[in-house]
Amino acid sequence: MGLLASLLSGFASGETMAAIRRARTAAIVYALAALAALCGLGFLVGAAYIWVAARYGSQVTALGFGIGFLVIAGLVLLSHRLMAGARARREARRRKADMKAIGISAALAVLPALIKGKGGLGVILGPAAALVAYAIYRENVKPDDPEAGGRK
């Protein structure tokens, strides 16, 4: 409730609108700076092209610059792909941990009701034994064994 009250008082005092204006102004300033930096980079590439063309000729320079930019593009895509794979593995581990925590929380929330119910402790021990047996099975199966259901 405290966060909602703080948000509402921020709206009422105009503080939120001032923060939005500051953020919009900062975004415009950064966009203009980025545009100027790109123009400067373009002129530097042009100057480098003129200098190399005077030394080696325009056709060789054009081929060299074209191949150089294609190599740069390939390196950027390769690094993105490698980082995306690492990010996907990290997110999968996080999701697995989150699902495990949710499962444990749900089991702990339902546990008192199951113990008091008709089946009592038997309702809990049956699935728990099955989970333990499955965990032992998964631990003892080799991952490259296609007959045991592992991945190839």
Side-chain angles (χ1 to χ4, degrees), residues 69-113:
F69 279 114
L70 288 176
V71 167
I72 290 171
L75 290 174
V76 167
L77 290 176
L78 179 66
S79 68
H80 173 70
R81 189 168 190 178
L82 291 174
M83 288 194 297
R87 185 173 37 249
R89 286 189 296 276
R90 190 171 49 249
E91 288 174 2
R93 281 194 304 269
R94 184 184 48 79
R95 268 194 309 273
K96 185 177 178 183
D98 289 348
M99 291 306 291
K100 186 176 182 180
I102 290 170
I104 290 171
S105 298
L108 290 175
V110 172
L111 188 64

Side-chain angles (χ1 to χ4, degrees), residues 5 7 11 19 27-28 31-33 44-45 54 59 77-78 82 85 93 100-101 128 130 134 140 143 152:
L7 184 63
F11 274 127
I28 291 170
L32 289 174
L44 287 175
V45 169
Q59 187 174 12
L77 290 176
L78 179 66
L82 291 174
R93 281 194 304 269
K100 186 176 182 180
Y134 180 70
N140 292 318
K152 196 168 185 179

Side-chain angles (χ1 to χ4, degrees), residues 16 26 58-59 68 73 89 116 119 135 146:
T16 305
S58 60
Q59 187 174 12
R89 286 189 296 276
K116 290 180 184 177

Side-chain angles (χ1 to χ4, degrees), residues 121-147:
L121 203 53
V123 173
I124 297 169
L125 291 180
L131 284 174
V132 169
Y134 180 70
I136 292 171
Y137 167 77
R138 291 292 293 170
E139 188 173 305
N140 292 318
V141 171
K142 295 179 183 173
D144 57 350
D145 189 2
E147 294 175 6

